[in-house]
Amino acid sequence: MIDYEFFKAPSLKEALEFLGSHEGVKAIAGGTDLLVDIRKENARAKGFKYLLDISGLKELKFIEERNDCVAIGALSTHTMLVESPVINKHFPLLASAAKTIGSTQIRNRGTVGGNINNASPAADLLPPLIALKAHVKLRTLNGERKLPLDEFLAGPYRTNRQSDEIMTEVCVPLLGEGYFTNFQKIGRRKAMNIARLNLAVVLGIKDDTVFDPRIVPGAATAYPIRFGKTEEAISGKRIGDIDPAEIGERASEEMISATGVRWSTPYKRIALASLVKRALETIFREAKANE
Amino acid sequence: MSNIEVTITVNGTKHRLMVGPKERLLDTLRERLHLTGTKEGCGVGECGACTVILDGEAVHSCLILTAQADGSEVITVEGLEKEGQLHPLQEAFIKHHAVQCGFCTPGMLMSAKALIDKNPNPTREEIKTAIEGNLCRCTGYEQIIEAIESATRALESR
């Protein structure tokens, strides 16, 4: 049996005070992952004494464009991402990724901060946010630190969040000129779909040549990471000289070198290669159309 | 485990309740307020049978602790009928045979209501997206989509 005391935080300050003065606190935002884990008595949800409800903290619910980045409050819902003009303008892949999460009911409730902090290997926002080089802000009673999202993640369902910290926002740096983005996902069906595989690709194209490629598959490795070798294979290459199918194969090899051969490998090897191919072809087509 | 005092407004009526830390909004609606129109299907946010409208948005009442909903406004399927008059969505569900076993119907109606409250003229695709989290094993969905389409027309001509 999972048992706990419930405390609803009326403000961020009080939430931080509670975290700073109690041991064994679990924070709950939208609850779309956590309440399922609690109900199923999942080991991931065990070992806490207090449930700290931060879902009512309106100050963490915002999406705003700043000078060099878009700041997304940690309690912004997936629906907010889907509907936000700022997100759709600057990071359409993030809106596409959010659109594929769960169902309308889940997107109305589930939060960006929750998706990141739950750190599921199949989290749909992690690949696009890593590919966009997002930073996360973590607040304590005494201060604040900012670190790259890929350094915040520590493993499947594990992060480097300290027990007295609350994630307040995610900062996504604006992309400069010449960048293209794409998000791909496959699952068993369209709605209520936990990704079997997903993929975010961000890259720049100048004079027909690829620069700054970022390729991040999700649910392919223990937790989403950039596929550096695959990125190298296209960096500095002319798009006419890149064979998307071959790069797809290369990504699959990079996945297998990270995970070893697993029960799902025969499927994922082919599926990831196809997703990479599809994403690159889409981006190259857009680049041509933009010329 | 100590109980928590919450105030929630359900279908326009304010309730002050002491609830347990694990009590879900679904439990409160069904067991305490005896509003059994809201159904429990899967209990883990997959089927949508427990859908209610919380502060204007369709949500799973099985994935919200009542303690989290303190101060909120909830509409359940019982809140659709007004003074003996069915809501146009309910009329349309009957007319279009969008109900067979009926278990998914309250959730479908609430997802549909949340949609048309925000977007009175939804496209077919928007209707499908609004009910993508509501499973129906009888109708094949077609009649439900038709019912929602016709209800939006009925509401428009009012």
mmCIF file with all atom_site columns, all heavy atoms in Angstrom, chain A residues 36-55:
data_model
loop_
_atom_site.group_PDB
_atom_site.id
_atom_site.type_symbol
_atom_site.label_atom_id
_atom_site.label_alt_id
_atom_site.label_comp_id
_atom_site.label_asym_id
_atom_site.label_entity_id
_atom_site.label_seq_id
_atom_site.pdbx_PDB_ins_code
_atom_site.Cartn_x
_atom_site.Cartn_y
_atom_site.Cartn_z
_atom_site.occupancy
_atom_site.B_iso_or_equiv
_atom_site.pdbx_formal_charge
_atom_site.auth_seq_id
_atom_site.auth_comp_id
_atom_site.auth_asym_id
_atom_site.auth_atom_id
_atom_site.pdbx_PDB_model_num
ATOM 1   N N   . VAL A 1 36 ? -1.312 7.123  -12.035 1.00 0.00 ? 36 VAL A N   1
ATOM 2   C CA  . VAL A 1 36 ? -1.363 5.770  -12.599 1.00 0.00 ? 36 VAL A CA  1
ATOM 3   C C   . VAL A 1 36 ? -0.372 4.880  -11.849 1.00 0.00 ? 36 VAL A C   1
ATOM 4   O O   . VAL A 1 36 ? -0.699 3.759  -11.447 1.00 0.00 ? 36 VAL A O   1
ATOM 5   C CB  . VAL A 1 36 ? -1.045 5.793  -14.119 1.00 0.00 ? 36 VAL A CB  1
ATOM 6   C CG1 . VAL A 1 36 ? -0.969 4.379  -14.672 1.00 0.00 ? 36 VAL A CG1 1
ATOM 7   C CG2 . VAL A 1 36 ? -2.090 6.612  -14.868 1.00 0.00 ? 36 VAL A CG2 1
ATOM 8   N N   . ASP A 1 37 ? 0.846  5.405  -11.632 1.00 0.00 ? 37 ASP A N   1
ATOM 9   C CA  . ASP A 1 37 ? 1.860  4.634  -10.903 1.00 0.00 ? 37 ASP A CA  1
ATOM 10  C C   . ASP A 1 37 ? 1.408  4.322  -9.479  1.00 0.00 ? 37 ASP A C   1
ATOM 11  O O   . ASP A 1 37 ? 1.625  3.220  -8.971  1.00 0.00 ? 37 ASP A O   1
ATOM 12  C CB  . ASP A 1 37 ? 3.192  5.403  -10.857 1.00 0.00 ? 37 ASP A CB  1
ATOM 13  C CG  . ASP A 1 37 ? 3.920  5.358  -12.206 1.00 0.00 ? 37 ASP A CG  1
ATOM 14  O OD1 . ASP A 1 37 ? 3.574  4.492  -13.029 1.00 0.00 ? 37 ASP A OD1 1
ATOM 15  O OD2 . ASP A 1 37 ? 4.813  6.195  -12.424 1.00 0.00 ? 37 ASP A OD2 1
ATOM 16  N N   . ILE A 1 38 ? 0.775  5.307  -8.818  1.00 0.00 ? 38 ILE A N   1
ATOM 17  C CA  . ILE A 1 38 ? 0.304  5.078  -7.444  1.00 0.00 ? 38 ILE A CA  1
ATOM 18  C C   . ILE A 1 38 ? -0.778 4.002  -7.444  1.00 0.00 ? 38 ILE A C   1
ATOM 19  O O   . ILE A 1 38 ? -0.759 3.078  -6.641  1.00 0.00 ? 38 ILE A O   1
ATOM 20  C CB  . ILE A 1 38 ? -0.218 6.396  -6.815  1.00 0.00 ? 38 ILE A CB  1
ATOM 21  C CG1 . ILE A 1 38 ? 0.964  7.342  -6.536  1.00 0.00 ? 38 ILE A CG1 1
ATOM 22  C CG2 . ILE A 1 38 ? -1.007 6.124  -5.533  1.00 0.00 ? 38 ILE A CG2 1
ATOM 23  C CD1 . ILE A 1 38 ? 0.561  8.716  -6.009  1.00 0.00 ? 38 ILE A CD1 1
ATOM 24  N N   . ARG A 1 39 ? -1.687 4.101  -8.400  1.00 0.00 ? 39 ARG A N   1
ATOM 25  C CA  . ARG A 1 39 ? -2.776 3.145  -8.459  1.00 0.00 ? 39 ARG A CA  1
ATOM 26  C C   . ARG A 1 39 ? -2.268 1.734  -8.745  1.00 0.00 ? 39 ARG A C   1
ATOM 27  O O   . ARG A 1 39 ? -2.766 0.761  -8.192  1.00 0.00 ? 39 ARG A O   1
ATOM 28  C CB  . ARG A 1 39 ? -3.762 3.581  -9.545  1.00 0.00 ? 39 ARG A CB  1
ATOM 29  C CG  . ARG A 1 39 ? -4.971 2.689  -9.613  1.00 0.00 ? 39 ARG A CG  1
ATOM 30  C CD  . ARG A 1 39 ? -6.038 3.300  -10.480 1.00 0.00 ? 39 ARG A CD  1
ATOM 31  N NE  . ARG A 1 39 ? -7.139 2.372  -10.622 1.00 0.00 ? 39 ARG A NE  1
ATOM 32  C CZ  . ARG A 1 39 ? -8.105 2.239  -9.740  1.00 0.00 ? 39 ARG A CZ  1
ATOM 33  N NH1 . ARG A 1 39 ? -8.098 2.994  -8.655  1.00 0.00 ? 39 ARG A NH1 1
ATOM 34  N NH2 . ARG A 1 39 ? -9.076 1.371  -9.923  1.00 0.00 ? 39 ARG A NH2 1
ATOM 35  N N   . LYS A 1 40 ? -1.283 1.650  -9.614  1.00 0.00 ? 40 LYS A N   1
ATOM 36  C CA  . LYS A 1 40 ? -0.749 0.333  -9.954  1.00 0.00 ? 40 LYS A CA  1
ATOM 37  C C   . LYS A 1 40 ? 0.318  -0.130 -8.964  1.00 0.00 ? 40 LYS A C   1
ATOM 38  O O   . LYS A 1 40 ? 0.949  -1.161 -9.181  1.00 0.00 ? 40 LYS A O   1
ATOM 39  C CB  . LYS A 1 40 ? -0.163 0.368  -11.372 1.00 0.00 ? 40 LYS A CB  1
ATOM 40  C CG  . LYS A 1 40 ? -1.224 0.531  -12.457 1.00 0.00 ? 40 LYS A CG  1
ATOM 41  C CD  . LYS A 1 40 ? -0.620 0.390  -13.845 1.00 0.00 ? 40 LYS A CD  1
ATOM 42  C CE  . LYS A 1 40 ? -1.721 0.320  -14.901 1.00 0.00 ? 40 LYS A CE  1
ATOM 43  N NZ  . LYS A 1 40 ? -1.174 0.424  -16.280 1.00 0.00 ? 40 LYS A NZ  1
ATOM 44  N N   . GLU A 1 41 ? 0.542  0.666  -7.914  1.00 0.00 ? 41 GLU A N   1
ATOM 45  C CA  . GLU A 1 41 ? 1.562  0.344  -6.900  1.00 0.00 ? 41 GLU A CA  1
ATOM 46  C C   . GLU A 1 41 ? 2.922  0.123  -7.564  1.00 0.00 ? 41 GLU A C   1
ATOM 47  O O   . GLU A 1 41 ? 3.695  -0.754 -7.171  1.00 0.00 ? 41 GLU A O   1
ATOM 48  C CB  . GLU A 1 41 ? 1.160  -0.903 -6.094  1.00 0.00 ? 41 GLU A CB  1
ATOM 49  C CG  . GLU A 1 41 ? -0.167 -0.763 -5.368  1.00 0.00 ? 41 GLU A CG  1
ATOM 50  C CD  . GLU A 1 41 ? -0.002 -0.260 -3.935  1.00 0.00 ? 41 GLU A CD  1
ATOM 51  O OE1 . GLU A 1 41 ? 0.987  -0.618 -3.285  1.00 0.00 ? 41 GLU A OE1 1
ATOM 52  O OE2 . GLU A 1 41 ? -0.856 0.531  -3.480  1.00 0.00 ? 41 GLU A OE2 1
ATOM 53  N N   . ASN A 1 42 ? 3.182  0.904  -8.574  1.00 0.00 ? 42 ASN A N   1
ATOM 54  C CA  . ASN A 1 42 ? 4.453  0.802  -9.283  1.00 0.00 ? 42 ASN A CA  1
ATOM 55  C C   . ASN A 1 42 ? 5.604  1.197  -8.357  1.00 0.00 ? 42 ASN A C   1
ATOM 56  O O   . ASN A 1 42 ? 5.518  2.175  -7.621  1.00 0.00 ? 42 ASN A O   1
ATOM 57  C CB  . ASN A 1 42 ? 4.404  1.749  -10.490 1.00 0.00 ? 42 ASN A CB  1
ATOM 58  C CG  . ASN A 1 42 ? 5.561  1.547  -11.440 1.00 0.00 ? 42 ASN A CG  1
ATOM 59  O OD1 . ASN A 1 42 ? 6.699  1.355  -11.021 1.00 0.00 ? 42 ASN A OD1 1
ATOM 60  N ND2 . ASN A 1 42 ? 5.271  1.595  -12.714 1.00 0.00 ? 42 ASN A ND2 1
ATOM 61  N N   . ALA A 1 43 ? 6.690  0.427  -8.404  1.00 0.00 ? 43 ALA A N   1
ATOM 62  C CA  . ALA A 1 43 ? 7.839  0.688  -7.537  1.00 0.00 ? 43 ALA A CA  1
ATOM 63  C C   . ALA A 1 43 ? 8.349  2.122  -7.687  1.00 0.00 ? 43 ALA A C   1
ATOM 64  O O   . ALA A 1 43 ? 8.862  2.706  -6.741  1.00 0.00 ? 43 ALA A O   1
ATOM 65  C CB  . ALA A 1 43 ? 8.957  -0.297 -7.853  1.00 0.00 ? 43 ALA A CB  1
ATOM 66  N N   . ARG A 1 44 ? 8.189  2.677  -8.895  1.00 0.00 ? 44 ARG A N   1
ATOM 67  C CA  . ARG A 1 44 ? 8.669  4.055  -9.135  1.00 0.00 ? 44 ARG A CA  1
ATOM 68  C C   . ARG A 1 44 ? 7.967  5.066  -8.235  1.00 0.00 ? 44 ARG A C   1
ATOM 69  O O   . ARG A 1 44 ? 8.500  6.125  -7.935  1.00 0.00 ? 44 ARG A O   1
ATOM 70  C CB  . ARG A 1 44 ? 8.393  4.462  -10.587 1.00 0.00 ? 44 ARG A CB  1
ATOM 71  C CG  . ARG A 1 44 ? 9.361  3.918  -11.586 1.00 0.00 ? 44 ARG A CG  1
ATOM 72  C CD  . ARG A 1 44 ? 9.316  4.765  -12.852 1.00 0.00 ? 44 ARG A CD  1
ATOM 73  N NE  . ARG A 1 44 ? 8.030  4.743  -13.518 1.00 0.00 ? 44 ARG A NE  1
ATOM 74  C CZ  . ARG A 1 44 ? 7.653  3.826  -14.393 1.00 0.00 ? 44 ARG A CZ  1
ATOM 75  N NH1 . ARG A 1 44 ? 8.464  2.850  -14.713 1.00 0.00 ? 44 ARG A NH1 1
ATOM 76  N NH2 . ARG A 1 44 ? 6.472  3.878  -14.966 1.00 0.00 ? 44 ARG A NH2 1
ATOM 77  N N   . ALA A 1 45 ? 6.741  4.737  -7.832  1.00 0.00 ? 45 ALA A N   1
ATOM 78  C CA  . ALA A 1 45 ? 5.958  5.698  -7.055  1.00 0.00 ? 45 ALA A CA  1
ATOM 79  C C   . ALA A 1 45 ? 6.035  5.405  -5.560  1.00 0.00 ? 45 ALA A C   1
ATOM 80  O O   . ALA A 1 45 ? 5.308  5.986  -4.767  1.00 0.00 ? 45 ALA A O   1
ATOM 81  C CB  . ALA A 1 45 ? 4.512  5.686  -7.520  1.00 0.00 ? 45 ALA A CB  1
ATOM 82  N N   . LYS A 1 46 ? 6.886  4.486  -5.152  1.00 0.00 ? 46 LYS A N   1
ATOM 83  C CA  . LYS A 1 46 ? 6.941  4.139  -3.721  1.00 0.00 ? 46 LYS A CA  1
ATOM 84  C C   . LYS A 1 46 ? 7.978  4.970  -2.980  1.00 0.00 ? 46 LYS A C   1
ATOM 85  O O   . LYS A 1 46 ? 8.782  5.671  -3.574  1.00 0.00 ? 46 LYS A O   1
ATOM 86  C CB  . LYS A 1 46 ? 7.227  2.646  -3.568  1.00 0.00 ? 46 LYS A CB  1
ATOM 87  C CG  . LYS A 1 46 ? 5.982  1.835  -3.896  1.00 0.00 ? 46 LYS A CG  1
ATOM 88  C CD  . LYS A 1 46 ? 6.131  0.369  -3.604  1.00 0.00 ? 46 LYS A CD  1
ATOM 89  C CE  . LYS A 1 46 ? 4.787  -0.312 -3.909  1.00 0.00 ? 46 LYS A CE  1
ATOM 90  N NZ  . LYS A 1 46 ? 4.917  -1.729 -4.126  1.00 0.00 ? 46 LYS A NZ  1
ATOM 91  N N   . GLY A 1 47 ? 7.935  4.860  -1.671  1.00 0.00 ? 47 GLY A N   1
ATOM 92  C CA  . GLY A 1 47 ? 8.982  5.468  -0.862  1.00 0.00 ? 47 GLY A CA  1
ATOM 93  C C   . GLY A 1 47 ? 8.863  6.968  -0.691  1.00 0.00 ? 47 GLY A C   1
ATOM 94  O O   . GLY A 1 47 ? 9.861  7.657  -0.576  1.00 0.00 ? 47 GLY A O   1
ATOM 95  N N   . PHE A 1 48 ? 7.658  7.496  -0.686  1.00 0.00 ? 48 PHE A N   1
ATOM 96  C CA  . PHE A 1 48 ? 7.518  8.909  -0.315  1.00 0.00 ? 48 PHE A CA  1
ATOM 97  C C   . PHE A 1 48 ? 6.456  9.029  0.768   1.00 0.00 ? 48 PHE A C   1
ATOM 98  O O   . PHE A 1 48 ? 5.566  8.185  0.882   1.00 0.00 ? 48 PHE A O   1
ATOM 99  C CB  . PHE A 1 48 ? 7.180  9.774  -1.533  1.00 0.00 ? 48 PHE A CB  1
ATOM 100 C CG  . PHE A 1 48 ? 5.818  9.538  -2.124  1.00 0.00 ? 48 PHE A CG  1
ATOM 101 C CD1 . PHE A 1 48 ? 4.748  10.344 -1.767  1.00 0.00 ? 48 PHE A CD1 1
ATOM 102 C CD2 . PHE A 1 48 ? 5.609  8.505  -3.032  1.00 0.00 ? 48 PHE A CD2 1
ATOM 103 C CE1 . PHE A 1 48 ? 3.490  10.124 -2.304  1.00 0.00 ? 48 PHE A CE1 1
ATOM 104 C CE2 . PHE A 1 48 ? 4.348  8.278  -3.570  1.00 0.00 ? 48 PHE A CE2 1
ATOM 105 C CZ  . PHE A 1 48 ? 3.293  9.086  -3.214  1.00 0.00 ? 48 PHE A CZ  1
ATOM 106 N N   . LYS A 1 49 ? 6.587  10.069 1.594   1.00 0.00 ? 49 LYS A N   1
ATOM 107 C CA  . LYS A 1 49 ? 5.658  10.223 2.718   1.00 0.00 ? 49 LYS A CA  1
ATOM 108 C C   . LYS A 1 49 ? 4.656  11.335 2.486   1.00 0.00 ? 49 LYS A C   1
ATOM 109 O O   . LYS A 1 49 ? 3.561  11.335 3.042   1.00 0.00 ? 49 LYS A O   1
ATOM 110 C CB  . LYS A 1 49 ? 6.460  10.544 3.992   1.00 0.00 ? 49 LYS A CB  1
ATOM 111 C CG  . LYS A 1 49 ? 7.089  9.313  4.616   1.00 0.00 ? 49 LYS A CG  1
ATOM 112 C CD  . LYS A 1 49 ? 7.659  9.629  5.992   1.00 0.00 ? 49 LYS A CD  1
ATOM 113 C CE  . LYS A 1 49 ? 8.912  10.473 5.873   1.00 0.00 ? 49 LYS A CE  1
ATOM 114 N NZ  . LYS A 1 49 ? 9.658  10.663 7.100   1.00 0.00 ? 49 LYS A NZ  1
ATOM 115 N N   . TYR A 1 50 ? 5.101  12.319 1.701   1.00 0.00 ? 50 TYR A N   1
ATOM 116 C CA  . TYR A 1 50 ? 4.246  13.486 1.476   1.00 0.00 ? 50 TYR A CA  1
ATOM 117 C C   . TYR A 1 50 ? 4.030  13.696 -0.018  1.00 0.00 ? 50 TYR A C   1
ATOM 118 O O   . TYR A 1 50 ? 4.975  13.580 -0.804  1.00 0.00 ? 50 TYR A O   1
ATOM 119 C CB  . TYR A 1 50 ? 4.893  14.752 2.034   1.00 0.00 ? 50 TYR A CB  1
ATOM 120 C CG  . TYR A 1 50 ? 5.181  14.677 3.500   1.00 0.00 ? 50 TYR A CG  1
ATOM 121 C CD1 . TYR A 1 50 ? 6.453  14.328 3.944   1.00 0.00 ? 50 TYR A CD1 1
ATOM 122 C CD2 . TYR A 1 50 ? 4.189  14.938 4.438   1.00 0.00 ? 50 TYR A CD2 1
ATOM 123 C CE1 . TYR A 1 50 ? 6.735  14.249 5.294   1.00 0.00 ? 50 TYR A CE1 1
ATOM 124 C CE2 . TYR A 1 50 ? 4.453  14.859 5.789   1.00 0.00 ? 50 TYR A CE2 1
ATOM 125 C CZ  . TYR A 1 50 ? 5.728  14.508 6.220   1.00 0.00 ? 50 TYR A CZ  1
ATOM 126 O OH  . TYR A 1 50 ? 5.997  14.426 7.552   1.00 0.00 ? 50 TYR A OH  1
ATOM 127 N N   . LEU A 1 51 ? 2.798  13.994 -0.370  1.00 0.00 ? 51 LEU A N   1
ATOM 128 C CA  . LEU A 1 51 ? 2.503  14.360 -1.752  1.00 0.00 ? 51 LEU A CA  1
ATOM 129 C C   . LEU A 1 51 ? 2.272  15.870 -1.764  1.00 0.00 ? 51 LEU A C   1
ATOM 130 O O   . LEU A 1 51 ? 1.357  16.373 -1.118  1.00 0.00 ? 51 LEU A O   1
ATOM 131 C CB  . LEU A 1 51 ? 1.255  13.616 -2.238  1.00 0.00 ? 51 LEU A CB  1
ATOM 132 C CG  . LEU A 1 51 ? 0.991  13.678 -3.743  1.00 0.00 ? 51 LEU A CG  1
ATOM 133 C CD1 . LEU A 1 51 ? 2.107  12.992 -4.514  1.00 0.00 ? 51 LEU A CD1 1
ATOM 134 C CD2 . LEU A 1 51 ? -0.343 13.016 -4.078  1.00 0.00 ? 51 LEU A CD2 1
ATOM 135 N N   . LEU A 1 52 ? 3.153  16.559 -2.471  1.00 0.00 ? 52 LEU A N   1
ATOM 136 C CA  . LEU A 1 52 ? 3.072  18.016 -2.515  1.00 0.00 ? 52 LEU A CA  1
ATOM 137 C C   . LEU A 1 52 ? 2.407  18.422 -3.833  1.00 0.00 ? 52 LEU A C   1
ATOM 138 O O   . LEU A 1 52 ? 2.974  18.234 -4.910  1.00 0.00 ? 52 LEU A O   1
ATOM 139 C CB  . LEU A 1 52 ? 4.492  18.610 -2.426  1.00 0.00 ? 52 LEU A CB  1
ATOM 140 C CG  . LEU A 1 52 ? 4.605  20.121 -2.617  1.00 0.00 ? 52 LEU A CG  1
ATOM 141 C CD1 . LEU A 1 52 ? 3.910  20.856 -1.470  1.00 0.00 ? 52 LEU A CD1 1
ATOM 142 C CD2 . LEU A 1 52 ? 6.065  20.535 -2.716  1.00 0.00 ? 52 LEU A CD2 1
ATOM 143 N N   . ASP A 1 53 ? 1.204  18.954 -3.725  1.00 0.00 ? 53 ASP A N   1
ATOM 144 C CA  . ASP A 1 53 ? 0.456  19.322 -4.932  1.00 0.00 ? 53 ASP A CA  1
ATOM 145 C C   . ASP A 1 53 ? 0.858  20.716 -5.400  1.00 0.00 ? 53 ASP A C   1
ATOM 146 O O   . ASP A 1 53 ? 0.579  21.710 -4.743  1.00 0.00 ? 53 ASP A O   1
ATOM 147 C CB  . ASP A 1 53 ? -1.048 19.281 -4.637  1.00 0.00 ? 53 ASP A CB  1
ATOM 148 C CG  . ASP A 1 53 ? -1.878 19.671 -5.849  1.00 0.00 ? 53 ASP A CG  1
ATOM 149 O OD1 . ASP A 1 53 ? -1.362 19.530 -6.971  1.00 0.00 ? 53 ASP A OD1 1
ATOM 150 O OD2 . ASP A 1 53 ? -3.030 20.110 -5.661  1.00 0.00 ? 53 ASP A OD2 1
ATOM 151 N N   . ILE A 1 54 ? 1.536  20.753 -6.552  1.00 0.00 ? 54 ILE A N   1
ATOM 152 C CA  . ILE A 1 54 ? 1.923  22.062 -7.095  1.00 0.00 ? 54 ILE A CA  1
ATOM 153 C C   . ILE A 1 54 ? 1.048  22.448 -8.290  1.00 0.00 ? 54 ILE A C   1
ATOM 154 O O   . ILE A 1 54 ? 1.299  23.454 -8.944  1.00 0.00 ? 54 ILE A O   1
ATOM 155 C CB  . ILE A 1 54 ? 3.425  22.076 -7.508  1.00 0.00 ? 54 ILE A CB  1
ATOM 156 C CG1 . ILE A 1 54 ? 3.724  20.956 -8.511  1.00 0.00 ? 54 ILE A CG1 1
ATOM 157 C CG2 . ILE A 1 54 ? 4.327  21.957 -6.295  1.00 0.00 ? 54 ILE A CG2 1
ATOM 158 C CD1 . ILE A 1 54 ? 5.110  21.055 -9.141  1.00 0.00 ? 54 ILE A CD1 1
ATOM 159 N N   . SER A 1 55 ? 0.004  21.633 -8.551  1.00 0.00 ? 55 SER A N   1
ATOM 160 C CA  . SER A 1 55 ? -0.784 21.862 -9.779  1.00 0.00 ? 55 SER A CA  1
ATOM 161 C C   . SER A 1 55 ? -1.500 23.214 -9.784  1.00 0.00 ? 55 SER A C   1
ATOM 162 O O   . SER A 1 55 ? -1.882 23.702 -10.839 1.00 0.00 ? 55 SER A O   1
ATOM 163 C CB  . SER A 1 55 ? -1.791 20.733 -9.991  1.00 0.00 ? 55 SER A CB  1
ATOM 164 O OG  . SER A 1 55 ? -2.756 20.725 -8.950  1.00 0.00 ? 55 SER A OG  1
#
